[in-house]
Amino acid sequence: MLRRLLLLFVLPLLGAVLFAGCCGSVACDCQNYRTDALIFQFSADSVSGRGFRASELANIALVRYNTIYPEDSANVQKTDTVRLTRTRATAFAPVVIDNTEPFAQRFGRKLGSPNPRESHRYAILLTGAQRNSPVRKRYFIGGLTLRGKVEADGCCTCYENIEKSFYLNNTFVEATTGAGAPPAVTTLVR
């Protein structure tokens, strides 16, 4: 009787330990942080005249244009704006646009999609210090296409971006990188 009782408690515990040892102790290193993100870097090349001074990058406005269709029930807001105020030390830090940064996800739509009806358009505006300052430079981002796949390898499941492209001021940009590679950085020039 004691032997049966012991088997009833020990066998499930032993099974749990064996199965946990298979996947529970494996650390997954997917190297896919921000794989879908759009990363923009302002050029600091002042010699060619196509770069920027730090003072020109002190105030940046990011605008998200939500594509609204008549059949959308969440027809609430058409644009969102985020203002970035930068110091001289952080002026040339990259501008990142991701599914949840700097804008919250809205209408269930992601940053980009194979279906253009589910993606947004964006603008990066260099402005003055005042709220209604005139825009000095504009960069329009649209036509985003993002496609990815999930790869499973034993106990690890990782997402991999297989297509990332967009239009920057009507110029096509292919930003797809290989598996495990950091996201591509697009340089913005004057």
Side-chain angles (χ1 to χ4, degrees):
M1 169 114 163
L2 184 60
R3 193 174 285 169
R4 282 188 188 165
L5 190 60
L6 184 63
L7 285 175
L8 285 174
F9 286 112
V10 171
L11 283 179
L13 181 62
L14 184 62
V17 168
L18 288 175
F19 287 118
C22 173
C23 287
S25 63
V26 175
C28 295
D29 184 16
C30 294
Q31 298 180 355
N32 64 353
Y33 179 66
R34 293 193 169 161
T35 188
D36 280 343
L38 302 179
I39 302 175
F40 299 95
Q41 179 77 45
F42 288 97
S43 173
D45 181 12
S46 59
V47 176
S48 71
R50 296 177 51 96
F52 295 92
R53 295 185 307 268
S55 61
E56 295 176 293
L57 303 174
N59 293 291
I60 300 170
L62 299 177
V63 181
R64 175 175 64 182
Y65 301 96
N66 298 311
T67 307
I68 303 294
Y69 296 97
E71 63 271 13
D72 286 347
S73 60
N75 192 346
V76 181
Q77 185 178 2
K78 293 185 181 180
T79 62
D80 298 314
T81 303
V82 172
R83 293 183 68 78
L84 305 175
T85 304
R86 296 173 167 215
T87 63
R88 183 172 294 280
T90 62
F92 291 98
V95 173
V96 177
I97 303 174
D98 207 346
N99 284 323
T100 57
E101 180 187 346
F103 304 101
Q105 199 170 350
R106 183 179 291 274
F107 309 130
R109 294 190 179 120
K110 297 198 179 273
L111 175 67
S113 166
N115 180 357
R117 295 177 67 87
E118 296 175 0
S119 61
H120 302 286
R121 293 175 297 124
Y122 298 88
I124 300 173
L125 311 172
L126 300 183
T127 65
Q130 303 301 322
R131 185 158 182 81
N132 293 325
S133 297
V135 175
R136 296 184 192 137
K137 185 71 179 170
R138 301 170 198 265
Y139 300 94
F140 291 105
I141 302 146
L144 274 84
T145 301
L146 290 175
R147 286 188 322 123
K149 65 180 179 178
V150 177
E151 288 286 326
D153 179 20
C155 295
C156 291
T157 302
C158 298
Y159 173 81
E160 179 185 335
N161 178 278
I162 57 174
E163 181 182 3
K164 178 170 36 173
S165 62
F166 58 93
Y167 284 89
L168 176 65
N169 289 348
N170 295 322
T171 301
F172 182 75
V173 177
E174 174 60 50
T176 307
T177 56
V185 177
T186 304
T187 302
L188 301 176
V189 294
R190 191 177 291 281

